Amino acid sequence: MSTHKKHLTRRRVLGASAIGVAATGAAVAGGAGLLPSASAAAFGYTDDGSDYVITTGASLVFKVSKSTGDLTSLAYKGKEYEGYGGKHSHVESGLGASTVTIGQSGSTILVKVVHGPITQWYAARSGENNVYLWTDKADASFTATRYIVRVKPGMFPNSGSDAWDSTTDTIIEAGDVWKHPDGTTRSKHYSGKRTIDYDHVGFTTGAVGLYLVRSNHEKASGGPFYRSLLRHSNEGGSGLYEILHYNEAQTEPERFGLQGPFVVTFTDGGTPSSALFAANLDTSWVDALGITGWVGKAGRGKVAGVGLKGMDPKYPYTVGFSNPDAQYWTKAATGTGAFSCKGMLPGTYTLTVFKGELAVHTGSVAVTAGGTTSLHTLTITGDPSAATAVWRLGNWDGTPGEFKNAELMTYAHPSDARAAKWTGNVTIGSGGEAASFPAYLWKDVNDGVLIYFKLTAAQAAAAHTLRVGVTTAYINARPQVTVNDWVSPIPTPPTQPSTRDLTTGSYRGNNHTFVFNVPSSAWSSDTTKYNVLKINAVSGSTGTGFLSPGTSFDCIDLLA
């Protein structure tokens, strides 16, 4: 029998069978309400022997492997975009042998891929150039959770802080940080974006765009300010990522369960439609598909707050919600601090108000299915900026943003040619002190930075509290301070991420304030002379250069 006749025969079998057909040939329900595929038409699917071929009825045809569940083809307007280096697009680094089923329900085609604790779903809707994806992970037997869309080399410009060329660039760290001949640096880690900052990531030629629109990340880890790799590009191909759990610079345990949808979408060069963004996406069509773990709108609740009292108008405020099963966040309105967060799974959450990225208020809130939990005005009482200070270097916002090189470090390596020198002794009262002070301190790079300041006679006669706020630390680095001849005890290291962060585009760890009680005997009694504060990075661990023990600053102040 010819291949063509075999395919026609198989399509007739699908039409007569219940729902979908597994790669093994056994009939398996791909989801509740799925109908057999229609005969050859603009919208539908076929079986070419190794893959399910799905025609969207628009300009996109994609394939899913019947044996592994890999996305093996993305053909847009007749041109293939998928794959590089002999690899395809998939969850993790590829699941390997999996049970793959397919079925059609009206204007939706659904593919289910099962491999041990992971179930991956794909859906196509008639007339759309989109692939909808969900990942359901049951346990920690896989160390990370990501989906990577692999893109053929040469399809899009190879440019940006996450792009490199291995024929001209040099690896300078851990096989994934590159230095260009002009001294600038590149890495797949250098997105420069926090999760709260983006809805989509992708590539465009101006005439064709390929994007991945992220999910709401309710089952992801790290919160609204987490930075992770979003895409990469080099002469060998490109990648787009949906990162749900990644250990790099991670501050939270992994969450499990169904995550999605996230969307692979083609455009005619422009950015994706905002209708695909997680906050706007209509998912009512998903309710009847029988996706395991799916909770529709009716099974979700909402939290609404009247406002926040005690805000600093110079900073944005974010309200976050988290528990072991889910995470959400929403921006508070400027001025009033009013906030609303919808689409939440039922449960009890820790509510955290962030000034910038610094937690300044916490509480608890319960969410019920179909209900709205209304909150009265929340009064912020945990802002350390409220304390009166003799002097303050930077400000308490949970970031090193005021300090030297801080912005660059979210998309470059500390050795980048664009970085100002990491030295940075400053004198309080000279003007522009924060901009001259280094955002990061390493034991092997710029240890022992100095802050000069004067005190009045009354101030010098009293003991004072010195606070050093940090946002993260590498290999247990923490500050030890010396004031003139007085040396502080070595503080206990707080819990911080266990991997690189300062060199991979993230200053975000666990904000921590080190408090030093400095006796009056430490100060100079001569009010015409400067007191000298020295800050050293100490650690029981060792390393060299920018991988030596290091920490990033939030704020440093001396309380009155």
Side-chain angles (χ1 to χ4, degrees), residues 264-278:
V264 177
T265 183
F266 281 88
T267 74
D268 287 335
T271 56
S273 167
S274 62
L276 293 177
F277 297 170

Side-chain angles (χ1 to χ4, degrees), residues 341-361:
C341 188
K342 64 181 181 178
M344 300 173 66
L345 293 172
T348 299
Y349 294 85
T350 297
L351 178 155
T352 305
V353 177
F354 297 93
K355 169 195 173 186
E357 296 184 15
L358 183 67
V360 292
H361 175 86

Side-chain angles (χ1 to χ4, degrees), residues 48 50-56 59-66 68-84 87-90 122 124 130-131 133 147-152 210 264 266:
D48 71 1
S50 58
D51 300 285
Y52 291 121
V53 183
I54 299 165
T55 301
T56 63
S59 299
L60 174 65
V61 178
F62 66 94
K63 297 180 181 181
V64 178
S65 168
K66 293 167 54 184
T68 66
D70 286 3
L71 187 63
T72 60
S73 173
L74 286 166
Y76 179 67
K77 295 186 176 180
K79 180 181 290 187
E80 181 61 66
Y81 285 83
E82 198 281 330
Y84 65 76
K87 297 181 179 180
H88 289 296
S89 304
H90 39 224
Y122 302 89
N130 306 323
V131 184
L133 304 94
Y147 194 94
I148 178 171
V149 180
R150 301 185 190 272
V151 185
K152 289 176 61 176
L210 171 56
V264 177
F266 281 88

Side-chain angles (χ1 to χ4, degrees), residues 381-396:
T381 58
D383 187 349
S385 297
T388 302
V390 176
W391 55 261
R392 180 166 288 144
L393 187 60
N395 204 349
W396 296 97

Side-chain angles (χ1 to χ4, degrees), residues 367-515:
V367 176
T368 58
T372 296
T373 302
S374 299
L375 301 177
H376 296 298
T377 298
L378 304 178
T379 300
I380 295 169
T381 58
D383 187 349
S385 297
T388 302
V390 176
W391 55 261
R392 180 166 288 144
L393 187 60
N395 204 349
W396 296 97
D397 66 353
T399 82
E402 302 95 337
F403 297 121
K404 182 166 62 176
N405 291 328
E407 182 180 2
L408 177 66
M409 289 302 96
T410 65
Y411 59 90
H413 190 268
S415 66
D416 194 284
R418 294 165 290 182
K421 291 184 178 179
W422 285 101
T423 52
N425 300 338
V426 297
T427 300
I428 300 298
S430 61
E433 300 97 317
S436 301
F437 193 77
Y440 298 169
L441 178 73
W442 290 273
K443 185 174 179 61
D444 202 33
V445 176
N446 58 343
D447 202 29
V449 292
L450 304 177
I451 300 172
Y452 298 90
F453 60 97
K454 291 181 178 180
L455 298 176
T456 66
Q459 290 168 340
H464 293 277
T465 297
L466 175 72
R467 302 186 297 185
V468 180
V470 303
T471 68
T472 193
Y474 179 61
I475 52 176
N476 287 326
R478 62 267 198 202
Q480 182 180 32
V481 301
T482 301
V483 179
N484 299 320
D485 294 326
W486 178 83
V487 181
S488 77
I490 296 176
T492 301
T495 300
Q496 295 290 6
S498 60
T499 63
R500 293 177 298 159
D501 45 12
L502 301 179
T503 60
T504 56
S506 179
Y507 56 74
R508 181 70 183 169
N510 293 309
N511 291 108
H512 183 80
T513 301
F514 294 92
V515 177

